[in-house]
Amino acid sequence: MSNIPFRSDQVVEELVQFNKNLSKGVKNLLDAEEISAGVTPREEIYAEDKLKLYRYQPSTGVVQNKIPTLIVYALVNRPYMADIQENRSTIRGLLDTGQDVYLIDWGYPDRADKYLTLDDYINGYLDRCVDIIRERHGVDRINILGICQGGVFSLCYTTLHQDKVKNLVTMVTPVDCKTPDNMLSHWVQQMDIDAIVDAMGNLPGEMLNWTFLNLKPFQLMGQKYVSMVDIISDEKNVKNFMRMEKWIFDSPDQAGEAFRQFIKDFYQQNKLVEGGLKIGEHEVDLKQLKTPVLNIFAEQDHLVPPASSKILPKLIGSKDYTELSFPGGHIGIYVSGKAQSTVTPAISDWLNARSK
Amino acid sequence: MSENNPWADQWFKAQQQFVDAWSDMAKSGGAGDGTSQSDLWSQGFDMWRRATEGRAQPDMELVMRKCMDMTKEYFSMAEQVSKSLSEGANPVEAVNQWLEQVKLSLQKFSGMPGFNGAGVADFMKQWFTPNASWQEMVAELTPMNQAFWQMPGMNTSVFNLGEAIDPLGRVLEAPGIGYFREPQEKQQRGIQLALEYQEANFKFNQAFLRVAIESIQGFQQRLLQLDEETTPKTMRALYDLWVEISEQHYAEFAMSEEYQSLYGDMVNRLMTMRKHYSEMADDFLRALNLPNTREIDTMQERLQQVRRDNYALKKEIREIRALLARPGAKPAALSATSPAQSKSTQRKPATVNKAAPKAVTPKAPAKKTAAGKTVARKTAARKAKVTRSTAGA
């Protein structure tokens, strides 16, 4: 064993200092106001059941892309991750680089939504939102940006409705759900999904939270709160920490039938890769996908390992495929400073070049 | 500050007590009155928390609680190392002694009935966070309260299904007779399923315990391999190293076939049990002539199908209207809707309404025609203004 240079008095001094930092931070925690979700001004333009379609206020003084972009977020967690704070907002970045941004907020499903299927989400809700945007802008096709599970939805949708999608951007999207490094996938292989849905109706958000946190329990449930003490003497840091904390635990329940099909078809049977995927009556064959695709993944993504996304060009028929690798994690790709300066401009450049 | 913030007085008083105690311990070479410093800190914090309850936003309260829990675990780790240092051990020995103690205490729990992480050193509790948080979640999601698990033969000391069933044997094996035969069998089955879940949960916990012990050995091995550059220079760096190594061991375990099997079994048994009790609750509600889950499910499923059909029909009506509104296209559009000319009828929706449910819209022909594509584009551009839809429309 190497020479660990500890002395008892040093350890004590270190802890006393830690405790002083904690003392300062506690006041900020006590005084902090309720954290708001989402920061960029937006307008609700359509609502259906629990879904809301928002249009973000376009930036002035920039050349506008005439083709609007619809962000399709996952059913898991909430979409304000893409707009978490003023200086860490993917949506703000897209607006400032000339995109006209729409976003689907799926809402919080409850028991009345138990029988919503993937067909209802993709060929129902999503398709109607796309039609509304096309109508508003008088265009045949729009751009779609799918995030995580929303990227899977977007891939399926675009394959089935290529006449409505001009360009497709997928971000941290699981395509091959059975790569050897995919812990989530590994965990669900022996789960009886039918038993879960039959017993629970909808999948409770608490179960999803448990699952995500336990992918890295020591960091996400332990170290994070010790490290927090280093930064909470600054009020701004408290707010930023709490925004992220709010998002992490803001997990809607999952509509039972949609969850059943998603886990069985994608995570257990890997049908996007193996074939045989059907959304409603329609078979999804990615080889038929000819739309230009920008595929973005995060190199340190513990939820969607890069290999899971990188297989996409081998599966699709599109000849216009671009890949962007981000040196960060599943969340950092939206909230890190580096993402604001690299990922968002790259998306806009790619869309602008293909939206004329 | 204290005039405006009485809570702050409480906090600083508690913290001063903590600082003094630590300082005394350092000065006295580890000797103290036997009170754990991290406990002292925790007690002070709890006292203060009670005084400030409701003052912060609920989210903040929760975060503070988590922060304090983790801080206590971190302090506990520091305290034990610091104590060994104060007693004259060199840093290497101090860390090693501490790890050996932890390992021994964990081994003591191995095979212990109902072990759930309670009683282990504070800082090692993180190893049992998955189990503890699982229990909390299960308590929230299942109708069984604590009293259920404390029924005779059903308490947390259950670890072997055979042994557990034994005291309940007579109850579980008693044949159902007479009018109440069916409910009795369902009750018996419910208890059996609960015991099976308990056993699966116990096996899951035991596996965690084993891997936690292995992680300590891994930590000791890693310490042997550290060089000047990678050696932790502070207590915090030592804690971070412990987190890193624990996470690595956990990840290996979580990616193993063993974990997949144990976790899958635990989830499946929980769900089987929960479903069984839901069905029993349904029976009870039916007996009272109250709506139950099965009936509501049936209604919801039917309603959802009606809504799908409704959307598809509305879409088709919009498309037909758009066609009718085209100058010069009216006769063709009208004739297209005529049953006598079924060819046109089939071509139109195929290109316009690619994703409409099969039951409503005829299936697409194998190839799109150029004319069909034109119809699709024009139809999209001419669609009637979208109005807000209502649920169940």
Side-chain angles (χ1 to χ4, degrees), chain A residues 195-206:
Chain A
I196 293 174
V197 176
D198 292 347
M200 306 301 295
N202 291 333
L203 187 89
E206 290 91 336

Side-chain angles (χ1 to χ4, degrees), chain A residues 39 80-93 240 334-338 340:
Chain A
V39 290
Y80 56 82
M81 168 51 66
D83 188 33
I84 196 107
Q85 66 188 63
E86 287 81 358
N87 58 344
R88 305 281 166 101
S89 166
T90 301
I91 288 172
R92 179 82 265 160
N240 295 342
Y334 305 105
V335 302
S336 73
K338 195 188 287 177
Q340 313 309 314

Side-chain angles (χ1 to χ4, degrees), chain A residues 37-80:
Chain A
V39 290
T40 305
R42 63 185 185 177
E43 174 195 8
E44 180 190 316
I45 62 157
Y46 176 70
E48 178 185 336
D49 300 341
K50 296 181 176 74
L51 173 152
K52 288 186 188 338
L53 176 64
Y54 292 104
R55 184 194 190 193
Y56 285 85
Q57 193 176 306
S59 291
T60 51
V62 290
V63 179
Q64 286 289 319
N65 186 338
K66 293 212 166 24
I67 307 294
T69 296
L70 172 63
I71 296 179
V72 181
Y73 198 78
L75 303 177
V76 175
N77 284 110
R78 303 282 295 137
Y80 56 82

Side-chain angles (χ1 to χ4, degrees), chain B residues 8 27 168 244 256 291 308 314 392:
Chain B
K27 283 176 201 161
L168 284 168
E244 182 193 321
S256 68
R308 285 182 198 121
K314 279 163 69 176

Side-chain angles (χ1 to χ4, degrees), chain B residues 16 27 38 57 75 106 115 162 176 181 197 203 229 257 304 314 323 339 341:
Chain B
Q16 190 58 51
K27 283 176 201 161
S38 55
Q57 296 287 335
F75 278 11
L106 283 178
F115 176 74
R181 180 188 56 79
Y197 163 67
K203 285 180 181 170
E229 196 180 327
E257 297 300 315
Q304 186 59 32
K314 279 163 69 176
L323 279 175
Q341 295 188 21

Side-chain angles (χ1 to χ4, degrees), chain B residues 330-388:
Chain B
K330 198 169 181 180
L334 283 173
S335 65
T337 58
S338 164
Q341 295 188 21
S342 56
K343 265 189 177 177
S344 306
T345 312
Q346 285 173 5
R347 188 183 298 158
K348 172 185 60 68
T351 51
V352 174
N353 191 13
K354 205 171 178 184
K358 194 178 180 183
V360 176
T361 308
K363 198 173 175 71
K367 276 189 173 179
K368 277 185 177 177
T369 62
K373 282 182 181 171
T374 307
V375 171
R377 277 199 297 274
K378 289 186 176 171
T379 306
R382 288 163 186 268
K383 274 193 179 159
K385 192 180 177 188
V386 178
T387 52
R388 228 174 240 206

